[in-house]
Amino acid sequence: MTEEDFTFQHLETDDDVEQNLELMREVFGQNSDAENLVKDLIHHHPTMTLKDFFVNKHHGKIVAGLNLIPVKWNIGGVPLKIAEMGCVATLAEYRHKGLQRKLVNEFHRQATEQEYDLCAIEGIPYFYRQFGYEYALPLNERATISLDKIPEYESKLKIRSFTEKDIPEAMRLLLQAQKKFYVHSIRDEQIWKIQQETGMASADKFEGYVLEKDGEMVAYIRIRGKPEGKELILREAPDVDRHTGKAILNFLKDTGKQRGFETLVSHISYYDSLTEQLTALGAVKSVPPYAWQIRVINYAKLFQKMKPLFEKRLATSIYCHLTERLNFNFYRYTVQVAVEDGAITEIHKLDSSEDRTIRVNPQVFTQLLLGHRSREELEMTYPDFIIHPNHKNLVDVLFPKLASHIHSAY
């Protein structure tokens, strides 16, 4: 096989769509989450088109593919446009031929043209580092407990199935819970309705339930059974008080036992109140959790978008009247942030990298930018992350370490 034997294209025809689904089946198995997700994205996603599906063909047969899922995140109150890479697959006999590299290059080109701020992928370990990705947000936080360890609680709260009419109040509860997270996803009402209609959130099927007190919703939960592991999965829940938490845990225990399960596995954030209740009962957290792999498309443009956030942090610190040209040296280029009396007046990219006051590995800096690691942690870990002593505290003010969590956004 030579390079000329392969052609790149987007999905175009019904036959292309079926071939792409067959690729999912061959790589991930029949009725896999990946196959179901591709079907869901093609038939239900409100903004995706076939142009968001990238494939390589060998003599007309699709042998490798991936897709671009448009999602929205929020960082400190600033909305970001995210290109999530999903359903990456190559037939076994066509691997190690550079096909995914070509697809990823096209993915990055389209993300840049369409002015996305970040590229993100859940992804397998290590592989995506070669494309400029860095682990920078918590993913798959997991707390596990035997159902037998959950006490029998009494509660007068009513629990019923979630319906489309519950969406507005559930949206309010989720938004309230997300306020404590520095980076979080944005799930609009249309996505809520599609998830409710399909019973899928990202690649996961789920069942939704509502907890009511005197006819008013006080919480909702999303669960999924995993019979092969005898596990009941808690996929989502807003912050709740201890009484409501006990009602949820009692429901989960009863539901799990009725289905022959032995274990409850919670995938909600470690910073959620319900996780604290589980931990107090003996749940074991996976520490550290896995992480989202992130690639910044253009630091200068992203800094410009985050300018109000940076100015707010300066205004509430000892640097409220700072006047300085801050040079973020990314080794091959510099992003200069001009500050006058605490206000950012200009942000632009310089081709030079002479100022060594703030020198940072551009991939690693993603962790600092998204609050995943502190400046001190990164300096202790990476020899090419070097901040002059006079600017350490300023960098800490601009880029604090904060909790984040990404709820499903499609």
Side-chain angles (χ1 to χ4, degrees):
M1 289 181 283
T2 65
E3 187 173 337
E4 288 72 25
D5 293 326
F6 297 93
T7 56
F8 162 79
Q9 69 171 71
H10 300 277
L11 295 186
E12 295 176 355
T13 66
D14 290 343
D15 181 63
D16 287 340
V17 171
E18 180 52 39
Q19 281 201 51
N20 194 44
L21 290 172
E22 182 58 29
L23 174 67
M24 297 299 112
R25 288 189 282 267
E26 290 194 39
V27 173
F28 299 105
Q30 296 287 330
N31 297 314
S32 65
D33 288 344
E35 179 187 357
N36 292 329
L37 175 58
V38 169
K39 289 178 181 177
D40 189 45
L41 295 175
I42 289 175
H43 298 298
H44 298 285
H45 196 281
T47 62
M48 284 185 73
T49 70
L50 295 184
K51 291 291 185 183
D52 293 312
F53 292 81
F54 305 74
V55 295
N56 271 319
K57 287 185 174 182
H58 180 241
H59 297 313
K61 176 185 178 181
I62 292 178
V63 298
L66 56 79
N67 53 44
L68 187 160
I69 309 169
V71 294
K72 298 175 184 176
W73 290 356
N74 181 302
I75 178 168
V78 178
L80 298 182
K81 186 178 177 182
I82 312 300
E84 182 179 340
M85 190 187 303
C87 304
V88 181
T90 305
L91 293 178
E93 62 269 32
Y94 291 92
R95 293 170 188 169
H96 310 296
K97 300 182 185 301
L99 298 182
Q100 282 299 334
R101 181 172 295 279
K102 292 179 181 179
L103 292 176
V104 170
N105 287 341
E106 289 293 334
F107 175 94
H108 290 160
R109 182 191 58 75
Q110 182 164 312
T112 301
E113 286 183 354
Q114 296 179 353
E115 298 186 332
Y116 283 88
D117 300 303
L118 301 174
C119 297
I121 185 169
E122 298 187 23
I124 60 176
Y126 183 70
F127 181 76
Y128 297 94
R129 285 191 179 279
Q130 64 186 306
F131 305 124
Y133 286 78
E134 178 61 40
Y135 294 96
L137 285 174
L139 171 66
N140 286 343
E141 290 157 293
R142 178 184 174 96
T144 305
I145 188 170
S146 168
L147 291 173
D148 289 333
K149 287 188 175 182
I150 300 175
E152 298 286 348
Y153 295 118
E154 291 186 4
S155 174
K156 295 182 180 179
L157 295 180
K158 177 183 176 182
I159 301 179
R160 59 171 176 79
S161 294
F162 192 105
T163 70
E164 186 173 321
K165 292 181 181 179
D166 297 314
I167 289 175
E169 183 60 15
M171 286 181 65
R172 186 190 69 80
L173 290 174
L174 179 60
L175 287 171
Q176 181 65 32
Q178 288 177 321
K179 287 182 179 180
K180 65 176 174 291
F181 297 123
Y182 177 46
V183 183
H184 63 80
S185 52
I186 299 173
R187 184 192 300 161
D188 61 29
E189 187 171 6
Q190 189 174 17
I191 295 296
W192 272 93
K193 288 181 178 179
I194 291 171
Q195 290 182 342
Q196 177 64 18
E197 177 186 347
T198 62
M200 283 188 63
S202 298
D204 292 328
K205 295 181 179 179
F206 71 89
E207 305 166 32
Y209 295 91
V210 167
L211 285 83
E212 290 182 332
K213 180 180 181 181
D214 300 327
E216 299 292 329
M217 183 192 299
V218 293
Y220 73 91
I221 57 172
R222 288 177 168 182
I223 64 173
R224 178 184 186 181
K226 193 175 180 181
E228 63 272 23
K230 295 186 177 181
E231 295 175 339
L232 182 65
I233 313 296
L234 174 61
R235 297 297 307 174
E236 184 171 309
D239 266 339
V240 295
D241 60 30
R242 195 163 189 81
H243 174 70
T244 305
K246 288 180 177 180
I248 291 173
L249 293 179
N250 197 61
F251 173 77
L252 294 176
K253 178 175 182 174
D254 289 346
T255 301
K257 289 288 189 179
Q258 290 167 11
R259 300 182 187 185
F261 298 154
E262 299 174 354
T263 306
L264 172 65
V265 180
S266 170
H267 284 293
I268 63 177
S269 170
Y270 290 166
Y271 291 89
D272 284 340
S273 56
L274 193 55
T275 301
E276 295 179 2
Q277 287 184 250
L278 283 168
T279 303
L281 293 173
V284 177
K285 293 190 289 188
S286 176
V287 180
Y290 198 50
W292 283 89
Q293 298 169 65
I294 309 294
R295 182 180 187 268
V296 175
I297 294 177
N298 185 312
Y299 270 114
K301 287 185 177 180
L302 188 55
F303 274 30
Q304 187 65 47
K305 207 161 195 177
M306 294 175 64
K307 174 176 173 283
L309 181 58
F310 294 149
E311 290 182 327
K312 181 180 178 181
R313 288 172 174 168
L314 290 173
T316 55
S317 74
I318 62 172
Y319 303 102
C320 57
H321 296 295
L322 178 71
T323 296
E324 186 176 348
R325 290 188 179 273
L326 300 174
N327 291 320
F328 291 85
N329 181 340
F330 291 104
Y331 287 97
R332 293 185 177 180
Y333 62 90
T334 295
V335 174
Q336 186 176 87
V337 180
V339 185
E340 293 185 13
D341 197 26
I344 297 174
T345 58
E346 188 178 8
I347 299 173
H348 62 277
K349 180 180 177 181
L350 305 176
D351 291 331
S352 64
S353 54
E354 297 176 0
D355 189 337
R356 297 188 173 188
T357 306
I358 303 173
R359 283 186 292 169
V360 291
N361 175 323
Q363 287 180 234
V364 171
F365 187 78
T366 307
Q367 298 185 44
L368 188 74
L369 181 80
L370 300 183
H372 190 58
R373 296 283 184 264
S374 69
R375 181 268 312 162
E376 185 176 14
E377 288 173 322
L378 295 176
E379 281 191 306
M380 292 290 289
T381 307
Y382 299 95
D384 54 2
F385 198 98
I386 309 167
I387 312 296
H388 191 279
N390 290 344
H391 283 71
K392 291 182 187 292
N393 188 62
L394 174 58
V395 169
D396 292 345
V397 167
L398 289 172
F399 303 101
K401 181 179 178 180
L402 297 165
S404 297
H405 186 77
I406 304 298
H407 296 84
S408 61
Y410 54 87

